[in-house]
Amino acid sequence: MKSRPLAMVICCWIAGSGCAVLWHGTSLWLIWGGLTLLLPLPGIVLRYRPRQMFLLWLAFSLGAIYWQINDGRNVSRISTALAAGNITPGAAMVRASGMIVSAVEVDGNRVAFTAALQSVEYPQVLE
């Protein structure tokens, strides 16, 4: 792996992304801090230059930060609409209709768009 620096950077990016998916908030940053403190160990054992280790740490960190920011932008206002109707979440089926007001972005199995709700209906109350 030492002769393939791009593959190492990609592995670190994927590891950082995976950590961001598995852990959120304080847990992620505690793991990140622990890995940062342990970073010199593989550098000494595998005889990597400090610049290489910094690059791998940077790829891991940017992978984690990228997914934290990306997931932080996923916002739903359905809870607010339910609260306005004095119905607790999980107690009602909701039918919402509206218009997609942004470009639809497809990223693998994820689709991202912004929708402007025109109406929220409560067709059936579950008990």
Side-chain angles (χ1 to χ4, degrees):
M1 223 17 159
K2 225 174 174 179
S3 63
R4 299 180 185 263
L6 183 59
M8 291 172 36
V9 169
I10 290 170
C11 287
C12 287
W13 176 275
I14 291 170
S17 298
C19 284
V21 168
L22 291 174
W23 297 291
H24 301 285
T26 306
S27 303
L28 173 67
W29 298 118
L30 286 173
I31 289 170
W32 177 82
L35 287 174
T36 299
L37 292 174
L38 292 174
L39 183 68
L41 184 61
I44 292 169
V45 171
L46 300 173
R47 298 175 194 242
Y48 286 128
R49 291 179 287 176
R51 193 175 117 224
Q52 285 177 312
M53 293 307 296
F54 176 74
L55 183 64
L56 297 177
W57 173 82
L58 185 64
F60 179 86
S61 299
L62 290 176
I65 290 169
Y66 172 78
W67 283 109
Q68 284 293 303
I69 291 171
N70 190 33
D71 285 344
R73 291 187 329 217
N74 292 336
V75 178
S76 173
R77 295 193 179 115
I78 293 175
S79 301
T80 310
L82 288 173
N86 296 327
I87 299 175
T88 60
M93 291 192 54
V94 177
R95 179 179 299 148
S97 64
M99 178 80 67
I100 296 176
V101 294
S102 69
V104 177
E105 299 173 15
V106 179
D107 181 18
N109 63 350
R110 301 175 110 187
V111 177
F113 60 87
T114 303
L117 291 180
Q118 295 170 344
S119 67
V120 178
E121 301 172 17
Y122 311 102
Q124 175 183 12
V125 176
L126 300 176
E127 302 208 26

